[in-house]
Amino acid sequence: MSKPTISVTLTTNPKPRPDEKKLVFGKYYSDHMFIMDYDAGQGWHDPRVVPYQNISLDPAAKVFHYGQTIFEGLKAYRTNDNRIVLFRPDQNWDRLNRSNDRLSIPAVDPEVAMEALRTLIKVDHEWVPSEPGTSLYIRPFVIATEPQLGVAPSTKYMFMILLCPVGAYYAEGLNPVPIHVESEYVRAVKGGVGNAKTGGNYAASLKAQEGASELGYSQVLWLDGVHRKYIEEVGSMNVFFKVNGTVITPALNGSILDGITRKSVLQLLRSWDVPVEERQISIDELVEAHRNGTLEEAFGTGTAAVISPVGALHYNNEKLVINNNKTGDLSSRVYDTITGIQSAVLPDPFGWVLEV
Amino acid sequence: MSKPTISVTLTTNPKPRPDEKKLVFGKYYSDHMFIMDYDAGQGWHDPRVVPYQNISLDPAAKVFHYGQTIFEGLKAYRTNDNRIVLFRPDQNWDRLNRSNDRLSIPAVDPEVAMEALRTLIKVDHEWVPSEPGTSLYIRPFVIATEPQLGVAPSTKYMFMILLCPVGAYYAEGLNPVPIHVESEYVRAVKGGVGNAKTGGNYAASLKAQEGASELGYSQVLWLDGVHRKYIEEVGSMNVFFKVNGTVITPALNGSILDGITRKSVLQLLRSWDVPVEERQISIDELVEAHRNGTLEEAFGTGTAAVISPVGALHYNNEKLVINNNKTGDLSSRVYDTITGIQSAVLPDPFGWVLEV
């Protein structure tokens, strides 16, 4: 099914589009969506763009009971010359299938996924916003739909793509946030599903996130589940630390998501000849670096925020303020460069941007 | 809302009931189901029994993306004198709310849940099968339904109950199964959600289960995620070992489900003055006990199978055959006693059985 014919059914009842100056994350959805079904023995079939609408499922569908689901997230941007571009979508299809494999879900042909996304965006091209900092967030996902309560992989699935116009993540520029170092709850462990983009990882994070919010922190810093001391992620982002001129990020160890912004930041830093290290880094090493004044910057990376500077870490009743709670120079430079490439304001030396 | 008024809408199109001699697990659903909605600020509302039907959800509903869902499982039995009885439902409502708490889902009033279940079973009482060994499997569950892609607890939920007539788990008596000791994948880790009955734990188990099946084993034996040596569960059941006359089961350590059959087996064994220990037990200790001839019996416990004897453990290319691959005397006695109490064939000295 490498050259799929995607049927298109247009809405007869288009929605009013939200004010581009008042967009928030994940709230507004475009007029259409993509669906493709899977049945064992038949494979993926009936790829189609249809009006955005509720889906109707048997309440025994496995997704409601056993969490057999995976997703992706990426963005489309409207350029100054009114083209629509995507950021590294090939990386998303690649990770989608790695997640599928871990969750015992059949692979989706990347060419079909790409053609589905192109077709959907062309139909809903007016939903790609043009205000500075805005973008179209894209949510591909797979859910298990067989109505059978035995614990076993589903024989039926749906692959869908939704589109959400989203606002500038930072309305007033990069804004460092305070982070709580989580010591009770664990996000994931080696041998589990931490490196797959699957619902269970996010469900497991909610309780700790609520606790951090109650203490006045924006996110949690996750420590590893085995030693409870090595840094894993921050909130639902990868995390970077600049210590004494070197940028350090936790190595992909099986429990950390292989973030596309993460790998883009690493490639960018290396192209700038900034020393980077992918390795284990413990919270104790960070505390020590803070004490001796070499913890210079910290930031999270992810599709939604791109770069999220960390202003302070709360650990063991101590507050480690980083760079006077200001966005660091390197964090700013990385943010400006990546968002510049994404929106085609800057040249694209790495071949990251694809026109729809 | 302690004395809820549950509305009932009866089907006008009842389904033919399946042949009670050909029932399988989790495939047939009764004519009706229970639904109750939750909205932030309003609480749980509109408890109702309606005809079994598909549910219609926005494709952005959080359950499809972030796995915010929990469930329970219990059974109703038809007694020889044609009453319908439940096994320890209070324990299910208690665990349901512990799972809800871990997943940041609002609590469900146990009295409302119990009244919902009674009402639903009365409406579908003809679906409680009467053939020997059959029962009505009951699946309460909660799903997050807010259509919002931000990673945060949902503001909307549905609590539902489905009913499935199920057959005798062992058509020809207890049947020992061979088990693969899993060394690559991990089910859960302390600090995670292993002690909550949530979809993510089951999603994480599918890949290992597939691998074990390909090797010819029925289930996997899960080791802990930190040391990779302490026994946790078998498949989706708790696990017990009889070693030199003492019955040992892993202590509840935060990553093991607090099984209702598990606690019933413990209570029963103690009432028989069988020595029991809830403690850490390593795979090495089991291998050693097998070598010196003191590993006498092993069995899993869960609602679906009640007791599942383990005939052999496959570990490091070694096959440890237990009790000549025959069901042990104690395993049989536990099985006969619990299933006897459940179906009211035997007296109920512990007050476990509740008439609907």
Side-chain angles (χ1 to χ4, degrees):
Chain A
M1 169 162 183
S2 286
K3 289 178 182 174
T5 303
I6 295 171
S7 76
V8 175
T9 305
L10 296 180
T11 183
T12 54
N13 188 22
K15 296 181 262 198
R17 289 202 301 280
D19 183 344
E20 289 192 6
K21 292 185 164 62
K22 294 178 181 167
L23 294 172
V24 293
F25 183 80
K27 183 172 175 187
Y28 305 104
Y29 303 94
S30 71
D31 275 329
H32 299 84
M33 63 188 190
F34 174 81
I35 310 183
M36 177 164 69
D37 299 306
Y38 178 93
D39 287 88
Q42 188 178 4
W44 290 106
H45 61 90
D46 287 327
R48 58 199 186 272
V49 169
V50 296
Y52 191 99
Q53 61 194 279
N54 275 16
I55 54 176
S56 172
L57 291 175
D58 192 301
K62 284 180 192 278
V63 64
F64 296 135
H65 303 269
Y66 303 132
Q68 201 189 5
T69 173
I70 62 94
F71 69 94
E72 275 300 324
L74 69 162
K75 282 180 175 175
Y77 303 83
R78 188 176 293 281
T79 65
N80 288 337
D81 58 353
N82 213 23
R83 295 175 299 132
I84 296 171
V85 296
L86 295 163
F87 186 71
R88 310 191 76 178
D90 54 312
Q91 296 289 325
N92 293 93
W93 308 134
D94 190 48
R95 188 173 60 187
L96 178 98
N97 280 327
R98 278 180 279 134
S99 297
N100 278 337
D101 180 67
R102 181 64 184 86
L103 274 294
S104 299
I105 296 173
V108 173
D109 184 333
E111 289 186 47
V112 175
M114 193 63 225
E115 187 59 23
L117 180 54
R118 282 182 195 276
T119 305
L120 179 60
I121 291 179
K122 283 176 182 169
V123 168
D124 275 343
H125 65 91
E126 290 181 335
W127 286 80
V128 184
S130 57
E131 282 288 316
T134 63
S135 57
L136 186 76
Y137 181 79
I138 299 160
R139 171 56 59 91
F141 64 109
V142 180
I143 56 174
T145 57
E146 184 191 8
Q148 220 295 349
L149 293 183
V151 179
S154 183
T155 60
K156 292 170 182 286
Y157 299 89
M158 289 171 76
F159 171 64
M160 301 185 64
I161 305 176
L162 309 180
L163 304 179
C164 307
V166 297
Y169 206 84
Y170 302 104
E172 298 167 8
L174 284 178
N175 185 22
V177 293
I179 300 290
H180 174 68
V181 181
E182 177 60 44
S183 54
E184 181 178 0
Y185 296 111
V186 168
R187 175 187 169 273
V189 72
K190 190 176 176 189
V193 294
N195 56 354
K197 214 161 166 66
T198 183
N201 293 327
Y202 298 81
S205 78
L206 298 172
K207 183 88 173 166
Q209 172 63 46
E210 280 193 316
S213 295
E214 281 164 19
L215 294 171
Y217 298 92
S218 297
Q219 293 283 353
V220 301
L221 188 75
W222 296 105
L223 302 181
D224 80 286
V226 174
H227 308 284
R228 299 291 190 110
K229 69 174 187 181
Y230 295 108
I231 311 292
E232 298 238 317
E233 300 190 8
V234 60
S236 52
M237 293 183 284
N238 294 116
V239 65
F240 288 71
F241 302 94
K242 181 163 167 263
V243 178
N244 201 21
T246 295
V247 177
I248 307 164
T249 192
L252 301 178
N253 61 356
S255 58
I256 294 173
L257 192 74
D258 183 4
I260 295 162
T261 310
R262 176 187 180 278
K263 72 171 61 167
S264 303
V265 168
L266 285 171
Q267 197 173 341
L268 191 63
L269 290 172
R270 287 179 175 127
S271 79
W272 291 345
D273 290 329
V274 173
V276 296
E277 296 177 359
E278 295 179 74
R279 63 167 170 89
Q280 274 193 333
I281 178 167
S282 71
I283 184 67
D284 299 329
E285 181 180 344
L286 285 185
V287 170
E288 179 57 26
H290 183 263
R291 284 214 181 106
N292 67 28
T294 56
L295 177 54
E296 297 157 352
E297 302 188 30
F299 56 90
T301 66
T303 292
V306 186
I307 299 295
S308 177
V310 175
L313 292 174
H314 176 242
Y315 179 60
N316 276 351
N317 297 317
E318 209 178 337
K319 193 172 178 182
L320 316 181
V321 176
I322 300 171
N323 197 38
N324 294 317
N325 197 27
K326 300 266 185 291
T327 300
D329 290 343
L330 188 65
S331 308
S332 289
R333 188 178 170 206
V334 169
Y335 178 78
D336 291 344
T337 307
I338 291 191
T339 55
I341 294 172
Q342 285 173 331
S343 56
V345 170
L346 293 178
D348 173 28
F350 308 108
W352 285 342
V353 168
L354 183 74
E355 188 165 346
V356 174
Chain B
M1 163 161 187
S2 286
K3 289 178 183 172
T5 303
I6 295 171
S7 77
V8 175
T9 307
L10 296 179
T11 183
T12 55
N13 188 22
K15 296 183 262 197
R17 289 200 301 282
D19 182 342
E20 288 191 8
K21 292 186 163 62
K22 295 178 181 167
L23 293 172
V24 292
F25 184 80
K27 183 172 173 188
Y28 304 104
Y29 303 94
S30 71
D31 275 328
H32 299 84
M33 62 189 191
F34 174 81
I35 311 184
M36 178 164 68
D37 299 305
Y38 178 94
D39 287 87
Q42 189 178 4
W44 290 105
H45 62 89
D46 287 327
R48 58 201 185 273
V49 169
V50 296
Y52 191 98
Q53 60 195 278
N54 274 17
I55 53 177
S56 172
L57 291 175
D58 192 301
K62 284 180 191 280
V63 63
F64 297 133
H65 304 269
Y66 303 132
Q68 201 190 3
T69 172
I70 61 93
F71 68 93
E72 275 300 324
L74 68 162
K75 283 181 174 174
Y77 304 83
R78 188 177 293 279
T79 65
N80 287 339
D81 57 354
N82 213 23
R83 295 175 299 132
I84 297 172
V85 294
L86 294 163
F87 186 70
R88 311 190 75 178
D90 54 312
Q91 297 288 324
N92 293 93
W93 308 133
D94 189 50
R95 187 172 62 186
L96 179 99
N97 279 328
R98 279 181 277 136
S99 297
N100 278 337
D101 180 67
R102 180 63 184 85
L103 274 296
S104 299
I105 296 173
V108 173
D109 184 333
E111 287 186 48
V112 175
M114 194 62 227
E115 187 59 24
L117 180 55
R118 280 181 195 278
T119 306
L120 179 60
I121 291 180
K122 283 177 183 166
V123 167
D124 275 343
H125 65 91
E126 290 182 336
W127 286 81
V128 184
S130 59
E131 282 287 316
T134 63
S135 57
L136 187 76
Y137 181 79
I138 299 160
R139 171 53 61 91
F141 64 109
V142 181
I143 56 175
T145 56
E146 184 191 8
Q148 221 294 351
L149 293 183
V151 179
S154 182
T155 60
K156 294 171 181 288
Y157 299 89
M158 290 170 76
F159 171 64
M160 301 185 64
I161 305 177
L162 310 180
L163 304 179
C164 307
V166 298
Y169 206 84
Y170 302 104
E172 300 168 5
L174 283 178
N175 185 23
V177 293
I179 300 290
H180 175 67
V181 180
E182 178 59 46
S183 54
E184 181 178 0
Y185 296 111
V186 168
R187 176 188 169 272
V189 73
K190 191 177 174 187
V193 293
N195 57 352
K197 212 160 170 68
T198 182
N201 293 327
Y202 298 81
S205 78
L206 298 172
K207 183 89 172 162
Q209 171 64 45
E210 280 193 316
S213 294
E214 282 163 19
L215 293 172
Y217 298 93
S218 296
Q219 294 282 353
V220 300
L221 188 76
W222 296 106
L223 302 182
D224 80 286
V226 174
H227 308 284
R228 298 290 191 113
K229 69 175 187 179
Y230 295 109
I231 310 293
E232 299 237 317
E233 300 191 8
V234 59
S236 51
M237 293 182 283
N238 294 115
V239 66
F240 288 72
F241 302 95
K242 180 162 167 263
V243 179
N244 201 19
T246 294
V247 176
I248 307 164
T249 192
L252 301 178
N253 61 355
S255 57
I256 293 174
L257 191 75
D258 183 4
I260 294 162
T261 310
R262 176 189 181 276
K263 75 171 59 166
S264 304
V265 168
L266 286 170
Q267 197 173 341
L268 191 63
L269 290 172
R270 286 178 175 128
S271 79
W272 291 345
D273 289 327
V274 174
V276 295
E277 295 178 1
E278 295 178 75
R279 63 166 170 89
Q280 274 193 331
I281 178 166
S282 71
I283 184 67
D284 300 329
E285 181 179 345
L286 284 186
V287 170
E288 179 57 26
H290 184 263
R291 281 211 187 110
N292 66 29
T294 56
L295 177 52
E296 297 157 349
E297 301 188 30
F299 56 89
T301 66
T303 293
V306 186
I307 299 295
S308 177
V310 175
L313 293 174
H314 176 242
Y315 179 58
N316 277 351
N317 297 316
E318 209 179 337
K319 192 170 177 183
L320 316 181
V321 176
I322 300 172
N323 196 40
N324 293 317
N325 197 28
K326 300 267 187 295
T327 300
D329 290 343
L330 188 65
S331 308
S332 288
R333 188 178 170 206
V334 169
Y335 178 79
D336 291 342
T337 306
I338 291 191
T339 54
I341 294 172
Q342 285 173 332
S343 55
V345 169
L346 292 179
D348 174 26
F350 307 108
W352 285 342
V353 168
L354 184 73
E355 189 165 344
V356 174

